[in-house]
């Protein structure tokens, strides 16, 4: 397996260089601690492990987002959405960082942080590779809209903001569009696939069905096995195996016994090996250009 990993040919990368975007950010949800994740990953040797695998690493330190956050007395909301301006400003900065790495032919690796950061990572990827596809590994669909969200936390909404569809998923509040005016949705429903779902809100199910978005739940993993599920997922969004791939991996896709350090644990998730296999199989396509680990 290691030999296959090392011998993979990369179609879209200039060389074997990883550009790490460190994002200790938790503004898209209300629980403290998730911003410590990327810091600990670096402290515990991620860069050294990448170098051992034969990769060059570009990492200029974790991004500092304190200046993006308004004082508590000026914290904004738009309808149900909490801190949208804060999340928007941070995501825009992340988008620019990811875009910069990709334009230099690097693999962009973003360490988060809550999943609202995908507003930045996915938009950055699709601005460079508009024909890319998105493989979203998660217990949740994160496709709630400003109207359907119960919590108001943007970490449960990024996909609805990214989708390029004719219908207005974001509603009719002009403040939403103004706040996220930098965001240009380029993600088509047929370029998005989920693996690992097991906690999806009823409105999210309706959106998935309405737009024909492929989604493989843990039931599919149990029924077909992870190898077959990954192949079916790739067939759905990358049938000719010629499109760049953005992999967005939320650790809550893994079972809490494997990854307890998530703010949104859901029992019955992926095993350690299933999670690894997804990453291995997608890497071996040679089409991977951008990765989120949230």
């Amino acid at each position: 397996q290691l030999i296959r990993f090392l011998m993979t040919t990369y179609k879209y990368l200039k060389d074997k260089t990883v550009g790490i975007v460190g994002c200790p950010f938790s503004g898209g949800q209300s629980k403290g601690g998730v911003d410590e994740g990327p810091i600990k990953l670096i402290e515990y040797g991620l860069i050294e492990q990448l170098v051992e695998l034969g990769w060059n690493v570009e990492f200029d330190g974790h991004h500092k987002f304190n200046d993006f956050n308004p004082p508590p007395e000026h914290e904004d909301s738009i309808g149900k959405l909490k801190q949208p301006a804060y999340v928007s400003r941070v995501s825009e900065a992340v988008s620019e960082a990811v875009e910069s790495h990709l334009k230099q032919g690097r693999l962009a690796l973003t360490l988060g942080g809550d999943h609202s950061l995908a507003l930045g990572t996915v938009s950055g990827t699709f601005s460079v590779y508009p024909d890319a596809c998105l493989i979203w590994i998660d217990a949740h669909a994160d496709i709630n809209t400003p109207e359907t969200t119960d919590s108001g936390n943007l970490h449960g909404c990024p996909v609805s903001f990214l989708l390029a569809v004719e219908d207005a998923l974001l509603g009719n509040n002009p403040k939403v569009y103004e706040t996220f005016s930098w965001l240009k949705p380029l993600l088509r429903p047929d370029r998005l696939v989920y693996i690992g779902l097991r906690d999806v809100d009823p409105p999210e199910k309706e959106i998935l069905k309405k737009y024909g978005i492929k989604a493989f739940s843990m039931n599919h993993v149990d029924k077909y096995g992870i190898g077959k599920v990954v192949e079916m997922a790739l067939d759905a969004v990358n049938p000719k195996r010629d499109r760049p791939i953005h992999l967005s991996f939320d650790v809550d896709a893994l079972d809490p016994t494997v990854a307890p350090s998530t703010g949104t644990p859901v029992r019955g998730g992926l095993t350690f090996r299933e999670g690894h296999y997804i990453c291995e199989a997608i890497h071996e396509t040679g089409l991977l250009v951008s990765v989120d680990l949230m």
Side-chain angles (χ1 to χ4, degrees), residues 28-98:
Q29 49 83 66
S30 56
K31 295 183 179 179
V34 298
D35 49 326
E36 293 292 321
I39 296 171
K40 295 301 180 184
L41 286 170
I42 296 297
E43 286 181 358
Y44 293 160
L46 176 63
I47 292 176
E48 290 78 9
Q49 292 174 26
L50 289 169
V51 171
E52 288 175 2
L53 288 171
W55 288 78
N56 303 309
V57 178
E58 293 290 336
F59 177 62
D60 59 1
H62 295 284
H63 287 247
K64 304 299 181 184
F65 299 124
N66 294 337
D67 294 340
F68 292 87
N69 193 9
E73 63 271 18
H74 294 115
E75 284 187 358
D76 60 343
S77 62
I78 300 176
K80 297 179 181 178
L81 295 181
K82 299 175 181 177
Q83 302 193 107
Y86 181 29
V87 174
S88 177
R89 288 194 291 266
V90 169
S91 298
E92 184 177 10
V94 171
S95 178
E96 292 171 354
V98 169

Side-chain angles (χ1 to χ4, degrees), residues 105-116:
R106 301 168 181 164
L107 175 70
L109 171 60
T110 303
L111 308 177
D114 72 66
H115 222 158
S116 66

Side-chain angles (χ1 to χ4, degrees), residues 54-227:
W55 288 78
N56 303 309
V57 178
E58 293 290 336
F59 177 62
D60 59 1
H62 295 284
H63 287 247
K64 304 299 181 184
F65 299 124
N66 294 337
D67 294 340
F68 292 87
N69 193 9
E73 63 271 18
H74 294 115
E75 284 187 358
D76 60 343
S77 62
I78 300 176
K80 297 179 181 178
L81 295 181
K82 299 175 181 177
Q83 302 193 107
Y86 181 29
V87 174
S88 177
R89 288 194 291 266
V90 169
S91 298
E92 184 177 10
V94 171
S95 178
E96 292 171 354
V98 169
E99 182 177 344
S100 175
H101 283 304
L102 295 180
K103 285 182 175 178
Q104 296 178 71
R106 301 168 181 164
L107 175 70
L109 171 60
T110 303
L111 308 177
D114 72 66
H115 222 158
S116 66
L117 288 167
L119 289 164
T121 62
V122 176
S123 61
T125 298
F126 276 72
S127 66
V128 179
Y129 298 108
D131 60 338
C133 61
L134 172 60
I135 301 177
W136 192 277
I137 315 299
D138 206 320
H140 312 88
D142 291 349
I143 200 169
N144 269 303
T145 71
E147 281 75 30
T148 65
T149 177
D150 287 331
S151 68
N153 292 324
L154 272 157
H155 77 149
C157 303
V159 180
S160 65
F161 280 72
L162 293 162
L163 275 178
V165 295
E166 293 181 2
D167 299 336
L169 284 177
L170 305 187
N172 299 314
N173 192 325
K175 288 186 177 180
V176 175
Y177 294 92
E178 180 183 353
T179 303
F180 291 89
S181 60
W182 64 272
L183 184 62
K184 304 297 187 291
L186 296 171
L187 175 63
R188 289 170 31 184
D190 63 345
R191 301 286 177 87
L192 167 64
V193 65
Y194 290 93
I195 298 176
L197 296 184
R198 57 192 184 278
D199 185 12
V200 182
D201 297 336
E204 293 182 300
K205 293 177 182 178
E206 293 179 8
I207 292 172
L208 295 177
K209 182 178 180 181
K210 179 177 182 179
Y211 296 107
I213 297 170
K214 284 287 186 179
F216 296 94
S217 68
M218 286 307 302
N219 178 270
H220 293 101
V221 174
D222 293 338
K223 183 176 182 179
Y224 298 109
I226 195 61

